[in-house]
Amino acid sequence: MVAQRAREVELSLLRRMFEGAPPDAINLGLGEPDFDPPKVVLDALCEAVRNGQNHYGPSAGLPALRSKVAESYRDRDPSTAVENVLITGGGSEALMATALAMYDPGDEVLVPDPGFVLYAPHARLAGAVPVLYDLDEKHGYRPDLDSLAQHLSPRTRAIVVNSPSNPTGGVFDSTTVDRIVAFAEEHDLSIVSDEVYDTMVYDGKFASFWGRSDRVVVVNSFSKRLCMTGWRLGFLVAPRAVAVEINKLHYHMMACPSTPAQAAALAGLSAGPNVSAPMMREFRARRELVVRQLNRIPGLTCTKPAGAFYAFPRFGWKGGSTEVAMSLLKRGLLATPGEAFGPLGTSHLRLSFAASRDSLRRGLAILRDYGEAAS
Ligand code: PLP
């Protein structure tokens, strides 16, 4: 009864593990902040709903929010305008709409390994072929341009990049961003830059792809920065002509983004970066705690994530990451197997520190017991 594309597309391993976890397991698999949205955001949502902002809006998003987003990108490109911005159903829908608008059947798209779970399936759903490029721990999980060039073919259309990265926590410095832009220009590639963790950088400074080339689409989200993952709101910033095309696909998928959620996001953006300062302080402290503890576990090593809220330790134990994650689940810890993010993740686990310190301590104790038995 169903189409081949539906039969072939996989529900991500990550979601399957999440859905199969016992209810009392300690969950370090979460890809969302364990904080509520800031009060100003909650209040704005309630007010919007009470004041009748419950109807369809423009498919590209409310002009006031688009304008606010554009304003926040002018430090990267002073000419950024409303027309460059589309408000979407989370970063996820922005990624799908971008893939549908930018990849033709048979195109090849470079996607990171390890990398976020949607990039390769989205390329396939658009009829394109994902081609994995390595992110090596030795290079701080930044792409190595020599090895990137080996994956090129006459069909290569685009490269997907993600900094700060889920799952590695790696962050590109400005030089890396410039090098990738030069590479894309030299080989006539578009760049899809997933920057949903741009406000979550602990070491160094975030470097955006926006403003460095006219072949960039930046995907972003309100999910993580404003802790509103369940409200499904994101955005993208693209060259005007490209935004017009992406908007058509976006319209056909969701008509328009949620109106009250946009009112809330506008309040959140207007409040400035300090609204998320307490959360970021806590994430920073947890990062120290988690990395220190992980490196004490026999058979585990963990580089410090420079951004996002994931640790991506490498293990030297027997078995692949799914096997290890399944054994941990039996012991009451939900950790995400690294291979959910690509073959290079096979000796890694992804542990989210978007969990209370108590959960982190108990989860890490389970991991330590496992490591002592396995080493
Ligand atoms: N991109 C990355 C790297 C992510 O980790 C996520 C969510 O986990 C998304 C995009 C999509 O997030 P959302 O659809 O909630 O904006």
Side-chain angles (χ1 to χ4, degrees):
M1 206 160 92
V2 299
Q4 194 176 337
R5 88 171 65 79
R7 284 199 304 274
E8 283 178 0
V9 76
E10 286 274 308
L11 193 59
S12 80
L13 179 58
L14 203 136
R15 274 222 97 78
R16 272 185 281 146
M17 285 216 46
F18 196 59
E19 282 160 13
D24 55 346
I26 294 164
N27 190 350
L28 302 187
L30 281 176
E32 59 176 340
D34 56 320
F35 288 79
D36 278 333
K39 185 174 178 307
V40 58
V41 173
L42 287 172
D43 288 347
L45 183 89
C46 296
E47 207 180 299
V49 171
R50 289 211 185 87
N51 291 343
Q53 285 188 264
N54 300 306
H55 301 277
Y56 294 134
S59 72
L62 297 177
L65 180 58
R66 292 173 73 198
S67 166
K68 195 78 200 166
V69 170
E71 187 187 312
S72 71
Y73 273 71
R74 280 196 205 116
D75 59 343
R76 301 160 221 201
D77 175 357
S79 70
T80 313
V82 172
E83 293 80 5
N84 296 110
V85 178
L86 297 181
I87 310 299
T88 60
S92 304
E93 192 255 338
L95 286 167
M96 186 75 245
T98 301
L100 290 176
M102 294 187 39
Y103 313 152
D104 276 316
D107 282 348
E108 292 178 8
V109 180
L110 299 171
V111 300
D113 170 21
F116 182 50
V117 294
L118 296 183
Y119 307 141
H122 282 188
R124 280 191 210 101
L125 287 170
V129 180
V131 175
L132 302 181
Y133 68 85
D134 300 359
L135 291 182
D136 196 326
E137 193 174 0
K138 286 200 291 289
H139 297 122
Y141 294 115
R142 289 188 283 268
D144 170 31
L145 290 182
D146 293 332
S147 86
L148 212 52
Q150 290 162 17
H151 297 295
L152 288 172
S153 90
R155 310 259 8 199
T156 314
R157 181 77 174 256
I159 176 167
V160 180
V161 287
N162 173 220
S163 165
S165 155
N166 174 10
T168 71
V171 174
F172 300 170
D173 54 19
S174 199
T175 312
T176 302
V177 174
D178 284 336
R179 283 203 188 123
I180 295 170
V181 167
F183 175 84
E185 307 225 312
E186 184 187 343
H187 300 288
D188 194 23
L189 311 182
S190 302
I191 301 173
V192 178
S193 179
D194 179 342
E195 301 184 2
V196 307
Y197 296 98
D198 64 350
T199 57
M200 302 182 165
V201 174
Y202 310 101
D203 301 326
K205 210 169 156 279
F206 172 70
S208 176
F209 278 77
W210 186 248
R212 296 184 199 237
S213 163
D214 57 4
R215 46 181 71 234
V216 174
V217 175
V218 168
V219 167
N220 211 322
S221 180
F222 297 105
S223 285
K224 323 278 178 178
R225 72 185 59 221
L226 295 178
C227 314
M228 46 185 267
T229 48
W231 296 354
R232 311 306 306 125
L233 204 72
F235 61 92
L236 60 84
V237 191
R240 288 174 194 219
V242 178
V244 168
E245 301 304 322
I246 300 177
N247 190 31
K248 291 191 220 159
L249 281 307
H250 160 69
Y251 166 75
H252 283 288
M253 284 194 284
M254 64 178 314
C256 70
S258 156
T259 302
Q262 289 183 82
L266 178 58
L269 272 193
S270 305
N274 280 346
V275 283
S276 53
M279 173 173 80
M280 289 313 297
R281 262 198 305 277
E282 178 60 18
F283 280 167
R284 191 179 280 276
R286 289 180 194 169
R287 177 181 79 133
E288 299 299 326
L289 179 138
V290 167
V291 172
R292 197 171 51 241
Q293 297 294 332
L294 284 173
N295 281 312
R296 287 181 184 155
I297 295 175
L300 264 195
T301 52
C302 185
T303 52
K304 220 183 232 188
F309 43 72
Y310 308 104
F312 198 58
R314 169 190 291 278
F315 58 80
W317 309 315
K318 210 159 64 60
S321 63
T322 304
E323 220 174 313
V324 169
M326 287 303 178
S327 306
L328 289 168
L329 197 56
K330 284 198 197 112
R331 292 169 179 244
L333 169 64
L334 203 166
T336 312
E339 63 202 316
F341 306 97
L344 282 188
T346 194
S347 296
H348 291 259
L349 295 168
R350 189 196 71 174
L351 301 166
S352 163
F353 45 89
S356 69
R357 292 197 199 199
D358 182 51
S359 296
L360 288 171
R361 277 197 200 95
R362 289 192 293 138
L364 290 168
I366 294 175
L367 197 57
R368 193 186 52 235
D369 290 346
Y370 181 87
E372 279 166 3
S375 292

mmCIF file of all heavy atoms in Angstrom, residues 14 31-32 88-95 115-119 162-167 194-197 219-224 228-230 232-235 309-310 350, ligand 1:
data_model
loop_
_atom_site.group_PDB
_atom_site.id
_atom_site.type_symbol
_atom_site.label_atom_id
_atom_site.label_comp_id
_atom_site.label_asym_id
_atom_site.label_seq_id
_atom_site.Cartn_x
_atom_site.Cartn_y
_atom_site.Cartn_z
ATOM 1 N N LEU A 14 18.114 6.302 16.884
ATOM 2 C CA LEU A 14 18.010 7.134 18.073
ATOM 3 C C LEU A 14 16.568 7.158 18.618
ATOM 4 O O LEU A 14 16.328 6.939 19.795
ATOM 5 C CB LEU A 14 18.433 8.516 17.623
ATOM 6 C CG LEU A 14 18.952 9.559 18.535
ATOM 7 C CD1 LEU A 14 20.159 10.187 17.838
ATOM 8 C CD2 LEU A 14 17.926 10.617 18.712
ATOM 9 N N GLY A 31 18.016 14.972 23.346
ATOM 10 C CA GLY A 31 18.557 15.986 22.439
ATOM 11 C C GLY A 31 17.876 17.320 22.648
ATOM 12 O O GLY A 31 17.735 18.098 21.715
ATOM 13 N N GLU A 32 17.462 17.580 23.878
ATOM 14 C CA GLU A 32 16.793 18.866 24.137
ATOM 15 C C GLU A 32 17.113 19.344 25.540
ATOM 16 O O GLU A 32 17.342 18.537 26.440
ATOM 17 C CB GLU A 32 15.281 18.731 23.973
ATOM 18 C CG GLU A 32 14.643 17.705 24.884
ATOM 19 C CD GLU A 32 13.130 17.686 24.758
ATOM 20 O OE1 GLU A 32 12.568 18.672 24.282
ATOM 21 O OE2 GLU A 32 12.535 16.679 25.167
ATOM 22 N N THR A 88 10.154 28.377 10.098
ATOM 23 C CA THR A 88 9.840 26.994 9.708
ATOM 24 C C THR A 88 9.318 26.167 10.895
ATOM 25 O O THR A 88 9.321 26.630 12.032
ATOM 26 C CB THR A 88 11.123 26.319 9.176
ATOM 27 O OG1 THR A 88 12.093 26.330 10.236
ATOM 28 C CG2 THR A 88 11.676 27.045 7.962
ATOM 29 N N GLY A 89 8.919 24.954 10.591
ATOM 30 C CA GLY A 89 8.489 24.028 11.646
ATOM 31 C C GLY A 89 9.697 23.359 12.264
ATOM 32 O O GLY A 89 9.957 22.172 12.045
ATOM 33 N N GLY A 90 10.466 24.102 12.992
ATOM 34 C CA GLY A 90 11.713 23.605 13.577
ATOM 35 C C GLY A 90 12.817 23.591 12.530
ATOM 36 O O GLY A 90 12.572 23.791 11.325
ATOM 37 N N GLY A 91 14.031 23.328 13.038
ATOM 38 C CA GLY A 91 15.153 23.154 12.117
ATOM 39 C C GLY A 91 14.918 21.939 11.225
ATOM 40 O O GLY A 91 15.366 21.908 10.078
ATOM 41 N N SER A 92 14.205 20.949 11.745
ATOM 42 C CA SER A 92 13.969 19.711 10.981
ATOM 43 C C SER A 92 13.248 19.999 9.675
ATOM 44 O O SER A 92 13.654 19.539 8.605
ATOM 45 C CB SER A 92 13.133 18.724 11.805
ATOM 46 O OG SER A 92 13.745 18.464 13.034
ATOM 47 N N GLU A 93 12.171 20.758 9.766
ATOM 48 C CA GLU A 93 11.431 21.053 8.539
ATOM 49 C C GLU A 93 12.239 21.987 7.639
ATOM 50 O O GLU A 93 12.180 21.870 6.401
ATOM 51 C CB GLU A 93 10.061 21.662 8.884
ATOM 52 C CG GLU A 93 9.115 21.732 7.691
ATOM 53 C CD GLU A 93 8.955 23.141 7.124
ATOM 54 O OE1 GLU A 93 9.216 24.124 7.854
ATOM 55 O OE2 GLU A 93 8.567 23.251 5.956
ATOM 56 N N ALA A 94 12.999 22.879 8.237
ATOM 57 C CA ALA A 94 13.861 23.754 7.432
ATOM 58 C C ALA A 94 14.846 22.907 6.627
ATOM 59 O O ALA A 94 15.100 23.170 5.448
ATOM 60 C CB ALA A 94 14.614 24.725 8.343
ATOM 61 N N LEU A 95 15.405 21.868 7.266
ATOM 62 C CA LEU A 95 16.357 20.993 6.567
ATOM 63 C C LEU A 95 15.680 20.237 5.432
ATOM 64 O O LEU A 95 16.224 20.110 4.337
ATOM 65 C CB LEU A 95 16.978 19.991 7.556
ATOM 66 C CG LEU A 95 18.021 20.550 8.525
ATOM 67 C CD1 LEU A 95 18.313 19.552 9.645
ATOM 68 C CD2 LEU A 95 19.320 20.891 7.786
ATOM 69 N N GLY A 115 27.306 12.481 12.010
ATOM 70 C CA GLY A 115 26.527 13.704 11.815
ATOM 71 C C GLY A 115 25.073 13.489 12.216
ATOM 72 O O GLY A 115 24.628 12.341 12.424
ATOM 73 N N PHE A 116 24.362 14.561 12.296
ATOM 74 C CA PHE A 116 22.959 14.530 12.733
ATOM 75 C C PHE A 116 22.148 13.608 11.815
ATOM 76 O O PHE A 116 22.374 13.570 10.600
ATOM 77 C CB PHE A 116 22.396 15.954 12.736
ATOM 78 C CG PHE A 116 20.977 16.058 13.201
ATOM 79 C CD1 PHE A 116 20.559 15.463 14.384
ATOM 80 C CD2 PHE A 116 20.043 16.755 12.449
ATOM 81 C CE1 PHE A 116 19.250 15.570 14.810
ATOM 82 C CE2 PHE A 116 18.725 16.875 12.871
ATOM 83 C CZ PHE A 116 18.327 16.273 14.046
ATOM 84 N N VAL A 117 21.173 12.933 12.425
ATOM 85 C CA VAL A 117 20.492 11.811 11.760
ATOM 86 C C VAL A 117 19.612 12.185 10.562
ATOM 87 O O VAL A 117 19.222 11.305 9.805
ATOM 88 C CB VAL A 117 19.621 11.039 12.785
ATOM 89 C CG1 VAL A 117 20.501 10.365 13.824
ATOM 90 C CG2 VAL A 117 18.607 11.967 13.464
ATOM 91 N N LEU A 118 19.284 13.432 10.361
ATOM 92 C CA LEU A 118 18.352 13.762 9.279
ATOM 93 C C LEU A 118 19.028 14.021 7.926
ATOM 94 O O LEU A 118 18.377 13.967 6.888
ATOM 95 C CB LEU A 118 17.504 14.995 9.647
ATOM 96 C CG LEU A 118 16.557 14.843 10.837
ATOM 97 C CD1 LEU A 118 15.743 16.131 11.034
ATOM 98 C CD2 LEU A 118 15.603 13.672 10.661
ATOM 99 N N TYR A 119 20.317 14.361 7.938
ATOM 100 C CA TYR A 119 20.921 14.842 6.680
ATOM 101 C C TYR A 119 20.856 13.801 5.557
ATOM 102 O O TYR A 119 20.447 14.128 4.441
ATOM 103 C CB TYR A 119 22.379 15.264 6.884
ATOM 104 C CG TYR A 119 22.612 16.258 8.005
ATOM 105 C CD1 TYR A 119 23.726 16.152 8.828
ATOM 106 C CD2 TYR A 119 21.732 17.303 8.236
ATOM 107 C CE1 TYR A 119 23.967 17.052 9.850
ATOM 108 C CE2 TYR A 119 21.963 18.215 9.261
ATOM 109 C CZ TYR A 119 23.080 18.076 10.071
ATOM 110 O OH TYR A 119 23.315 18.965 11.086
ATOM 111 N N ASN A 162 27.764 21.232 10.088
ATOM 112 C CA ASN A 162 27.054 21.429 11.353
ATOM 113 C C ASN A 162 28.043 21.787 12.460
ATOM 114 O O ASN A 162 28.813 20.942 12.906
ATOM 115 C CB ASN A 162 26.288 20.137 11.703
ATOM 116 C CG ASN A 162 25.641 20.153 13.079
ATOM 117 O OD1 ASN A 162 25.654 19.151 13.795
ATOM 118 N ND2 ASN A 162 25.065 21.274 13.470
ATOM 119 N N SER A 163 28.002 23.046 12.856
ATOM 120 C CA SER A 163 28.863 23.518 13.947
ATOM 121 C C SER A 163 28.062 24.503 14.793
ATOM 122 O O SER A 163 27.464 25.413 14.217
ATOM 123 C CB SER A 163 30.103 24.207 13.366
ATOM 124 O OG SER A 163 30.773 24.957 14.360
ATOM 125 N N PRO A 164 28.045 24.312 16.111
ATOM 126 C CA PRO A 164 28.488 23.187 16.911
ATOM 127 C C PRO A 164 27.763 21.907 16.497
ATOM 128 O O PRO A 164 26.603 21.962 16.098
ATOM 129 C CB PRO A 164 28.104 23.582 18.343
ATOM 130 C CG PRO A 164 27.996 25.060 18.323
ATOM 131 C CD PRO A 164 27.523 25.412 16.951
ATOM 132 N N SER A 165 28.462 20.806 16.630
ATOM 133 C CA SER A 165 27.943 19.558 16.076
ATOM 134 C C SER A 165 27.183 18.714 17.082
ATOM 135 O O SER A 165 27.572 18.558 18.229
ATOM 136 C CB SER A 165 29.117 18.739 15.540
ATOM 137 O OG SER A 165 28.818 17.365 15.528
ATOM 138 N N ASN A 166 26.109 18.144 16.604
ATOM 139 C CA ASN A 166 25.461 17.008 17.229
ATOM 140 C C ASN A 166 25.837 15.828 16.341
ATOM 141 O O ASN A 166 25.477 15.854 15.157
ATOM 142 C CB ASN A 166 23.940 17.224 17.223
ATOM 143 C CG ASN A 166 23.186 16.007 17.736
ATOM 144 O OD1 ASN A 166 23.780 15.085 18.265
ATOM 145 N ND2 ASN A 166 21.866 16.017 17.557
ATOM 146 N N PRO A 167 26.595 14.859 16.786
ATOM 147 C CA PRO A 167 26.821 14.478 18.174
ATOM 148 C C PRO A 167 28.174 14.850 18.763
ATOM 149 O O PRO A 167 28.376 14.616 19.950
ATOM 150 C CB PRO A 167 26.762 12.950 18.076
ATOM 151 C CG PRO A 167 27.468 12.671 16.777
ATOM 152 C CD PRO A 167 27.058 13.805 15.859
ATOM 153 N N ASP A 194 23.940 23.883 9.223
ATOM 154 C CA ASP A 194 23.020 23.693 10.344
ATOM 155 C C ASP A 194 23.657 24.342 11.579
ATOM 156 O O ASP A 194 24.647 23.827 12.110
ATOM 157 C CB ASP A 194 22.799 22.189 10.538
ATOM 158 C CG ASP A 194 21.867 21.876 11.691
ATOM 159 O OD1 ASP A 194 21.653 22.745 12.557
ATOM 160 O OD2 ASP A 194 21.359 20.732 11.745
ATOM 161 N N GLU A 195 23.076 25.449 12.009
ATOM 162 C CA GLU A 195 23.664 26.223 13.115
ATOM 163 C C GLU A 195 22.717 26.275 14.313
ATOM 164 O O GLU A 195 22.646 27.270 15.029
ATOM 165 C CB GLU A 195 24.039 27.627 12.593
ATOM 166 C CG GLU A 195 25.041 27.530 11.434
ATOM 167 C CD GLU A 195 25.564 28.867 10.883
ATOM 168 O OE1 GLU A 195 25.179 29.931 11.413
ATOM 169 O OE2 GLU A 195 26.347 28.838 9.917
ATOM 170 N N VAL A 196 21.984 25.181 14.537
ATOM 171 C CA VAL A 196 20.960 25.232 15.602
ATOM 172 C C VAL A 196 21.557 25.373 17.010
ATOM 173 O O VAL A 196 20.854 25.753 17.934
ATOM 174 C CB VAL A 196 19.962 24.030 15.566
ATOM 175 C CG1 VAL A 196 19.322 23.855 14.209
ATOM 176 C CG2 VAL A 196 20.583 22.754 16.029
ATOM 177 N N TYR A 197 22.865 25.053 17.148
ATOM 178 C CA TYR A 197 23.483 25.206 18.480
ATOM 179 C C TYR A 197 24.375 26.453 18.539
ATOM 180 O O TYR A 197 25.291 26.528 19.354
ATOM 181 C CB TYR A 197 24.310 23.957 18.823
ATOM 182 C CG TYR A 197 23.477 22.696 18.943
ATOM 183 C CD1 TYR A 197 23.374 21.791 17.890
ATOM 184 C CD2 TYR A 197 22.758 22.414 20.101
ATOM 185 C CE1 TYR A 197 22.599 20.645 17.985
ATOM 186 C CE2 TYR A 197 21.976 21.273 20.219
ATOM 187 C CZ TYR A 197 21.903 20.395 19.151
ATOM 188 O OH TYR A 197 21.124 19.261 19.261
ATOM 189 N N VAL A 219 20.499 26.946 8.455
ATOM 190 C CA VAL A 219 19.315 26.420 9.142
ATOM 191 C C VAL A 219 19.508 26.676 10.629
ATOM 192 O O VAL A 219 20.598 26.459 11.166
ATOM 193 C CB VAL A 219 19.167 24.908 8.853
ATOM 194 C CG1 VAL A 219 18.153 24.271 9.785
ATOM 195 C CG2 VAL A 219 18.787 24.694 7.389
ATOM 196 N N ASN A 220 18.452 27.143 11.271
ATOM 197 C CA ASN A 220 18.561 27.423 12.694
ATOM 198 C C ASN A 220 17.228 27.096 13.366
ATOM 199 O O ASN A 220 16.278 26.665 12.698
ATOM 200 C CB ASN A 220 18.979 28.880 12.926
ATOM 201 C CG ASN A 220 19.802 29.032 14.187
ATOM 202 O OD1 ASN A 220 19.525 28.373 15.190
ATOM 203 N ND2 ASN A 220 20.795 29.903 14.152
ATOM 204 N N SER A 221 17.148 27.291 14.652
ATOM 205 C CA SER A 221 15.974 26.829 15.388
ATOM 206 C C SER A 221 15.785 27.621 16.675
ATOM 207 O O SER A 221 16.758 28.120 17.239
ATOM 208 C CB SER A 221 16.179 25.355 15.732
ATOM 209 O OG SER A 221 15.084 24.862 16.446
ATOM 210 N N PHE A 222 14.558 27.690 17.117
ATOM 211 C CA PHE A 222 14.291 28.247 18.446
ATOM 212 C C PHE A 222 14.263 27.144 19.501
ATOM 213 O O PHE A 222 14.179 27.415 20.687
ATOM 214 C CB PHE A 222 12.959 29.005 18.447
ATOM 215 C CG PHE A 222 12.967 30.187 17.513
ATOM 216 C CD1 PHE A 222 12.291 30.143 16.298
ATOM 217 C CD2 PHE A 222 13.683 31.331 17.831
ATOM 218 C CE1 PHE A 222 12.321 31.222 15.430
ATOM 219 C CE2 PHE A 222 13.726 32.420 16.959
ATOM 220 C CZ PHE A 222 13.038 32.363 15.756
ATOM 221 N N SER A 223 14.287 25.888 19.025
ATOM 222 C CA SER A 223 14.115 24.736 19.926
ATOM 223 C C SER A 223 15.077 24.744 21.096
ATOM 224 O O SER A 223 14.670 24.621 22.253
ATOM 225 C CB SER A 223 14.342 23.430 19.162
ATOM 226 O OG SER A 223 13.258 23.119 18.344
ATOM 227 N N LYS A 224 16.362 24.841 20.781
ATOM 228 C CA LYS A 224 17.374 24.648 21.830
ATOM 229 C C LYS A 224 17.605 25.950 22.587
ATOM 230 O O LYS A 224 17.660 25.957 23.801
ATOM 231 C CB LYS A 224 18.691 24.165 21.226
ATOM 232 C CG LYS A 224 18.551 23.197 20.069
ATOM 233 C CD LYS A 224 18.321 21.766 20.470
ATOM 234 C CE LYS A 224 18.136 20.895 19.240
ATOM 235 N NZ LYS A 224 17.955 19.490 19.514
ATOM 236 N N MET A 228 12.172 25.358 23.569
ATOM 237 C CA MET A 228 10.793 25.179 23.123
ATOM 238 C C MET A 228 10.718 24.114 22.019
ATOM 239 O O MET A 228 10.043 24.298 21.022
ATOM 240 C CB MET A 228 10.177 26.521 22.691
ATOM 241 C CG MET A 228 11.035 27.375 21.799
ATOM 242 S SD MET A 228 10.267 28.998 21.454
ATOM 243 C CE MET A 228 9.439 28.593 19.941
ATOM 244 N N THR A 229 11.397 23.008 22.276
ATOM 245 C CA THR A 229 11.457 21.927 21.276
ATOM 246 C C THR A 229 10.066 21.445 20.872
ATOM 247 O O THR A 229 9.829 21.125 19.723
ATOM 248 C CB THR A 229 12.265 20.733 21.818
ATOM 249 O OG1 THR A 229 11.786 20.438 23.126
ATOM 250 C CG2 THR A 229 13.738 21.045 21.890
ATOM 251 N N GLY A 230 9.159 21.397 21.848
ATOM 252 C CA GLY A 230 7.819 20.864 21.573
ATOM 253 C C GLY A 230 6.924 21.817 20.795
ATOM 254 O O GLY A 230 5.857 21.422 20.327
ATOM 255 N N ARG A 232 7.895 23.406 18.063
ATOM 256 C CA ARG A 232 8.263 23.181 16.672
ATOM 257 C C ARG A 232 8.430 24.471 15.879
ATOM 258 O O ARG A 232 7.624 24.772 14.981
ATOM 259 C CB ARG A 232 7.256 22.233 15.965
ATOM 260 C CG ARG A 232 6.924 20.965 16.699
ATOM 261 C CD ARG A 232 8.143 20.151 17.086
ATOM 262 N NE ARG A 232 9.012 19.855 15.948
ATOM 263 C CZ ARG A 232 10.333 20.173 15.937
ATOM 264 N NH1 ARG A 232 10.912 20.758 16.976
ATOM 265 N NH2 ARG A 232 11.060 19.881 14.900
ATOM 266 N N LEU A 233 9.440 25.210 16.217
ATOM 267 C CA LEU A 233 9.679 26.454 15.490
ATOM 268 C C LEU A 233 11.176 26.642 15.216
ATOM 269 O O LEU A 233 12.001 26.538 16.118
ATOM 270 C CB LEU A 233 9.145 27.642 16.292
ATOM 271 C CG LEU A 233 8.820 28.869 15.438
ATOM 272 C CD1 LEU A 233 7.565 28.626 14.605
ATOM 273 C CD2 LEU A 233 8.626 30.099 16.298
ATOM 274 N N GLY A 234 11.471 26.912 13.967
ATOM 275 C CA GLY A 234 12.851 27.175 13.570
ATOM 276 C C GLY A 234 12.868 28.226 12.485
ATOM 277 O O GLY A 234 11.846 28.883 12.228
ATOM 278 N N PHE A 235 14.010 28.376 11.849
ATOM 279 C CA PHE A 235 14.069 29.345 10.756
ATOM 280 C C PHE A 235 15.253 29.030 9.850
ATOM 281 O O PHE A 235 16.109 28.204 10.187
ATOM 282 C CB PHE A 235 14.158 30.777 11.290
ATOM 283 C CG PHE A 235 15.357 31.106 12.137
ATOM 284 C CD1 PHE A 235 16.514 31.619 11.577
ATOM 285 C CD2 PHE A 235 15.328 30.909 13.521
ATOM 286 C CE1 PHE A 235 17.615 31.940 12.355
ATOM 287 C CE2 PHE A 235 16.431 31.220 14.306
ATOM 288 C CZ PHE A 235 17.575 31.741 13.725
ATOM 289 N N PHE A 309 25.407 20.304 23.745
ATOM 290 C CA PHE A 309 25.352 19.739 25.108
ATOM 291 C C PHE A 309 25.505 18.221 25.096
ATOM 292 O O PHE A 309 24.775 17.516 25.773
ATOM 293 C CB PHE A 309 24.083 20.185 25.855
ATOM 294 C CG PHE A 309 22.812 20.163 25.038
ATOM 295 C CD1 PHE A 309 22.216 18.964 24.676
ATOM 296 C CD2 PHE A 309 22.201 21.360 24.665
ATOM 297 C CE1 PHE A 309 21.043 18.951 23.934
ATOM 298 C CE2 PHE A 309 21.016 21.355 23.919
ATOM 299 C CZ PHE A 309 20.438 20.145 23.552
ATOM 300 N N TYR A 310 26.469 17.777 24.266
ATOM 301 C CA TYR A 310 26.720 16.343 24.162
ATOM 302 C C TYR A 310 28.192 16.043 24.406
ATOM 303 O O TYR A 310 29.060 16.777 23.940
ATOM 304 C CB TYR A 310 26.382 15.838 22.763
ATOM 305 C CG TYR A 310 24.999 16.225 22.286
ATOM 306 C CD1 TYR A 310 24.837 17.250 21.345
ATOM 307 C CD2 TYR A 310 23.873 15.574 22.777
ATOM 308 C CE1 TYR A 310 23.576 17.616 20.901
ATOM 309 C CE2 TYR A 310 22.603 15.934 22.340
ATOM 310 C CZ TYR A 310 22.458 16.963 21.400
ATOM 311 O OH TYR A 310 21.215 17.323 20.971
ATOM 312 N N ARG A 350 26.941 8.665 22.654
ATOM 313 C CA ARG A 350 26.640 10.087 22.843
ATOM 314 C C ARG A 350 25.860 10.227 24.140
ATOM 315 O O ARG A 350 24.834 9.587 24.336
ATOM 316 C CB ARG A 350 25.800 10.640 21.694
ATOM 317 C CG ARG A 350 25.669 12.164 21.789
ATOM 318 C CD ARG A 350 24.549 12.719 20.932
ATOM 319 N NE ARG A 350 23.245 12.382 21.482
ATOM 320 C CZ ARG A 350 22.079 12.830 21.003
ATOM 321 N NH1 ARG A 350 22.070 13.619 19.950
ATOM 322 N NH2 ARG A 350 20.938 12.478 21.555
HETATM 323 N N1 PLP B 1 19.950 20.048 13.702
HETATM 324 C C1 PLP B 1 20.603 19.453 14.719
HETATM 325 C C2 PLP B 1 22.086 19.353 14.653
HETATM 326 C C3 PLP B 1 19.890 18.939 15.802
HETATM 327 O O1 PLP B 1 20.551 18.358 16.810
HETATM 328 C C4 PLP B 1 18.484 19.053 15.809
HETATM 329 C C5 PLP B 1 17.708 18.463 16.914
HETATM 330 O O2 PLP B 1 18.162 17.681 17.695
HETATM 331 C C6 PLP B 1 17.856 19.705 14.733
HETATM 332 C C7 PLP B 1 18.621 20.189 13.698
HETATM 333 C C8 PLP B 1 16.383 19.875 14.644
HETATM 334 O O3 PLP B 1 15.846 20.497 15.733
HETATM 335 P P1 PLP B 1 14.392 21.168 15.684
HETATM 336 O O4 PLP B 1 13.635 20.514 14.580
HETATM 337 O O5 PLP B 1 13.796 20.897 17.020
HETATM 338 O O6 PLP B 1 14.631 22.603 15.444
#
